[in-house]
Amino acid sequence: MKKAYVFPGQGSQFVGMGKDLYEQHETARQLFDRANEILGFNITEIMFSGTEEELKQTRVTQPAIFLHSVAQAAVAQDFNPDMVAGHSLGEFSALVASKVLSFEDGLRLVYKRAMAMQAACEANPSTMAAILGLDDAKVEEVCASIEGEVVVAANYNCPGQLVISGSNKGIEIACEKMKEAGAKRALPLPVGGAFHSPLMKPAEEELAKAIKETTFSQGICPIYQNVDAQPHTDPEEIKQNLISQLTAPVRWTQSVQQMVADGATHFVECGPGKVLQGLVKKIERTAEVSSVE
């Protein structure tokens, strides 16, 4: 019986997140205070008592979720993972929790990633949409059929739930075509841009430089990375996959399937919300899921 710790991505934030950790644990408190110093603004104030609007800004959301997740792992009882994985942004939390990255380096990379993604979104207005009730191959086929616009499969969340990413016009056309192809729903998402698509290339280039200059160590367990859904322990491979992650799809379904194939029976979500527990159950019904204690 192996235990996998999984770390959520953007969208799991909520006002008040992390306040209990801050109040109850000295270790968490030190991480929160250090984050305020590194970022140069009071992120804890926004997390604990800001507005949803403030928390939704990419430059706040990404470090906030990362900080909450890493602090939770740091104070968890018996944190001894056999394997880890993170959904998109969550991959950075997983790398810090499994000792591949230091907290400070992880936070700096996450903030740089957030700012680079924000800039890419502003330079090239784009969006994402959730496609429900179509199989992956059909979604990929529809995306490939749209000419003259960028539209790609971006997040393989669980069977029958795939998020597509691309230009505003491309996503609009794709949503119509997905419904015609039999999708139960095709819902545009309230996001600032086309994450995990070729439109994030400028952000990827900027982040690549920072990742290359950062020290990655041998972790305490394998990390199953979004890009190929395979376990990795080699720091150089992990770096390369992390750079590719911004323009490549998040293969979450495949990652969970691979972890199960490699012996994972219990998935523990570490971070705000319970989104990943729901996805894991849809991918593998027999898996045991819980939040970190």
Side-chain angles (χ1 to χ4, degrees):
M1 281 178 60
K2 289 186 179 175
K3 201 177 264 195
Y5 281 77
V6 292
F7 296 79
Q10 213 162 328
S12 54
Q13 70 276 7
F14 60 90
V15 174
M17 62 190 285
K19 195 163 189 282
D20 54 340
L21 290 169
Y22 187 88
E23 288 168 352
Q24 291 164 22
H25 302 277
E26 176 60 29
T27 307
R29 199 153 46 243
Q30 286 170 4
L31 292 175
F32 281 102
D33 292 344
R34 185 84 182 97
N36 290 336
E37 278 172 40
I38 291 169
L39 295 171
F41 67 92
N42 197 330
I43 191 165
T44 50
E45 200 175 297
I46 301 172
M47 289 167 70
F48 301 166
S49 54
T51 64
E52 274 184 35
E53 214 42 53
E54 287 173 305
L55 201 54
K56 223 165 59 180
Q57 298 168 30
T58 295
R59 73 179 196 98
V60 176
T61 313
Q62 294 198 19
I65 291 168
F66 166 85
L67 180 53
H68 185 288
S69 303
V70 169
Q72 210 168 35
V75 303
Q77 297 166 11
D78 186 33
F79 182 79
N80 193 14
D82 294 298
M83 53 188 88
V84 293
H87 191 289
S88 188
L89 158 73
E91 198 157 276
F92 288 83
S93 313
L95 287 169
V96 172
S98 63
K99 307 280 193 283
V100 173
L101 278 173
S102 72
F103 170 70
E104 288 81 0
D105 284 343
L107 181 60
R108 286 190 189 99
L109 288 178
V110 164
Y111 192 53
K112 188 165 249 326
R113 178 183 192 263
M115 298 304 276
M117 286 169 82
Q118 188 85 44
C121 295
E122 284 161 12
N124 209 336
S126 49
T127 192
M128 301 174 86
I131 310 302
L132 306 181
L134 267 192
D135 66 47
D136 294 353
K138 191 69 194 168
V139 173
E140 290 162 358
E141 187 189 308
V142 172
C143 288
S145 74
I146 296 165
E147 291 172 8
E149 296 290 339
V150 173
V151 189
V152 295
N155 295 349
Y156 293 79
N157 284 335
C158 66
Q161 187 192 324
L162 210 159
V163 174
I164 59 171
S165 190
S167 62
N168 289 337
K169 180 81 177 143
I171 293 297
E172 195 183 315
I173 298 166
C175 283
E176 284 311 309
K177 286 195 163 200
M178 296 290 177
K179 286 176 195 161
E180 284 164 19
K184 283 184 191 154
R185 298 179 82 176
L187 304 167
L189 297 174
V191 294
F195 305 144
H196 302 289
S197 83
L199 295 174
M200 284 291 124
K201 196 70 188 163
E204 180 182 279
E205 285 162 8
E206 199 171 321
L207 189 62
K209 190 170 174 293
I211 286 174
K212 282 172 185 162
E213 289 165 0
T214 302
T215 302
F216 280 56
S217 305
Q218 193 76 34
I220 57 172
C221 66
I223 177 163
Y224 287 66
Q225 289 189 277
N226 292 176
V227 169
D228 61 2
Q230 294 300 310
H232 293 277
T233 53
D234 177 71
E236 285 308 313
E237 272 179 28
I238 291 171
K239 269 189 182 187
Q240 204 42 60
N241 289 336
L242 208 53
I243 291 167
S244 305
Q245 193 223 59
L246 270 186
T247 53
V250 173
R251 299 189 178 280
W252 188 251
T253 301
Q254 298 87 336
S255 297
V256 172
Q257 287 168 339
Q258 191 59 55
M259 286 191 277
V260 169
D262 292 345
T265 53
H266 186 175
F267 288 78
V268 184
E269 185 161 9
C270 198
K274 295 185 174 184
V275 171
L276 297 183
Q277 292 171 64
L279 295 181
V280 168
K281 283 303 263 187
K282 285 179 179 155
I283 297 163
E284 178 53 61
R285 276 196 209 115
T286 65
E288 192 184 329
V289 298
S290 62
S291 295
V292 76
E293 285 175 9

